[in-house]
Amino acid sequence: MLRRLPEQKGRRVRFLFEGEQVHALEGDSVAAALLAAGAGATRTTPKSGSPRAPYCMMGVCFECLVEIDGVPNRQACLIEVRDGMRVRRQRGAPGLPGEAEDDPV
Ligand code: FES
């Protein structure tokens, strides 16, 4: 379990993860905010559906993939939280934009 250092201060921002409100500090990455909030898995694997969570926190492992504001394959550890951001777990391997029949791209 991860916790914030007690001396961490900053402007609070709020965003949604799976429809639930999460509080973060300005400057947090999405991954850090989710770990601090105890949100658990950020994605599931394409083959077995196993849960995965952020690991390297520096853009190397890709375990932190999420959907942000409707855009899949975003690395949560490299993206700063913003007020009102909508984040969802990435389930499996989403196709490229325009691949799905109902995708308007
Ligand atoms: S946690 Fe490894 S790429 Fe984001």
Side-chain angles (χ1 to χ4, degrees):
M1 177 169 203
L2 299 172
R3 284 183 291 160
R4 289 186 180 280
L5 296 173
E7 65 270 13
Q8 280 191 303
K9 301 211 179 331
R11 189 176 85 80
R12 293 198 173 272
V13 296
R14 291 180 292 183
F15 66 101
L16 294 177
F17 179 63
E18 295 292 326
E20 300 289 325
Q21 197 166 82
V22 176
H23 295 267
L25 293 178
E26 193 172 55
D28 282 351
S29 68
V30 173
L34 291 174
L35 288 171
T42 51
R43 74 177 185 100
T44 59
T45 60
K47 194 157 187 158
S48 70
S50 299
R52 293 288 189 262
Y55 180 67
C56 74
M57 301 299 282
M58 59 183 189
V60 176
C61 72
F62 288 79
E63 296 291 11
C64 64
L65 292 179
V66 291
E67 178 185 304
I68 296 178
D69 295 330
V71 180
N73 297 318
R74 305 298 310 272
Q75 287 175 274
C77 67
L78 300 181
I79 298 171
E80 205 170 292
V81 290
R82 287 183 275 96
D83 260 328
M85 180 182 259
R86 294 176 184 273
V87 181
R88 297 185 59 199
R89 284 190 180 93
Q90 181 156 309
R91 292 175 172 80
L96 296 171
E99 276 189 345
E101 288 178 21
D102 59 346
D103 193 340
V105 176

